[in-house]
Amino acid sequence: MNTAPAPAGSHEGGLPYALAAYGIWGFVPLFFKLLSSVPPVEVLAQRILWSLPLCFLIMAFRRQIGEYLAVLRDWKVLRLLLASSVLIAVNWLVYIYAIFTDHVLAASLGYYLNPLVNVMLGMVFLGERLSRMQMLAVVIAGVGVAILLAGALDTLWISLTLAFTFGIYGLLRKIAPVGSLPGLSVETTVLLLPSLAVAGYYLAAGDGRGFGSEKSISLLLMAGGVVTAVPLLLFATAARRMSYAALGFVQYMAPTIQFLLSLFVFDEPLKPVQLACFLLIWVSIAVFSFDMWRKMRADRMMPAA
């Protein structure tokens, strides 16, 4: 599999992967709500444990076990993946906590804020530059997020933690010279021992809420491996095939779905500031998307040299 980053300004190669990843993440609160009786830390541990066998199965099918083992022997790459492992574990735990405590709107805000973090990281560390219209889109989105932050101070830590942990995680996965699946497999391997310890603790405690308590709960926790591995694999592929700024704006798909779920499925109250933020962010997406479409159209019309 070719994992080389796309040239600057190239968006199409990673777009299908990004749409699939963010679509799954958008609807994943529906899945985790089914596990709200289980302690969040145990859910995190179980999703790590059950995602690793799936990763190995796919690696074996794609003949990537050698690349996985090579990463484990390369300290420079492994160091990046150690950091990304910690970041994604924190992100998962806070996200599960937000869903279990009926703060899906706060989680949605975090992922609305994340594209702005992506743009900042892309400009600072990757040398990416935005056009004037793209900068305008960032400003509009920033105003929307600022409005929402002003009305959600009690859950601000959830939003900021989700935004920055996932933003830095994506940056590390973009620059790490490793394929999407072997990299994800190394991350889950790094988290394996702590996850086994946590899962063992809760299994021994036998509080009747987690794995082994009911067949339906155990099956759902096992299915968490698929819910974990598949979108992360899609995201890691997208991050290496499209510009980081463009990837950030595609991400608005997931929090928009989560926003609608919180409003129409989970019945969380909608404040006027939240509605204002929602509208401004969609305006920013429209501006950014129009500029991308205009550039792609100009590139197609440009005569070959």
Side-chain angles (χ1 to χ4, degrees), residues 202-270:
Y202 280 105
L203 189 61
D207 59 3
R209 295 187 295 166
F211 189 83
S213 60
E214 297 180 18
K215 183 178 180 180
S216 59
I217 293 295
S218 298
L219 290 175
L220 284 171
L221 287 170
M222 293 171 67
V226 177
V227 174
T228 297
V230 171
L232 267 177
L233 175 59
L234 292 167
F235 169 78
T237 302
R240 293 183 59 81
R241 296 191 179 191
M242 61 193 301
S243 83
Y244 211 48
L247 179 64
F249 274 84
V250 175
Q251 181 174 335
Y252 280 127
M253 176 181 175
T256 297
I257 296 173
Q258 294 167 8
F259 181 90
L260 295 174
L261 286 176
S262 67
L263 187 62
F264 296 109
V265 178
F266 305 136
D267 296 322
E268 291 189 30
L270 175 65

Side-chain angles (χ1 to χ4, degrees), residues 52 56 59 64-82 84-85 176-179 181-193:
L52 188 56
F56 273 104
M59 277 197 303
Q64 292 182 301
I65 298 294
E67 186 177 352
Y68 164 82
L69 296 175
V71 173
L72 293 177
R73 294 191 294 265
D74 188 336
W75 173 242
K76 290 184 179 179
V77 179
L78 185 58
R79 186 170 51 188
L80 291 174
L81 295 181
L82 285 170
S84 66
S85 300
V178 58
L181 181 57
L184 175 60
S185 301
V186 171
E187 289 172 341
T188 50
T189 300
V190 168
L191 298 171
L192 179 61
L193 288 180

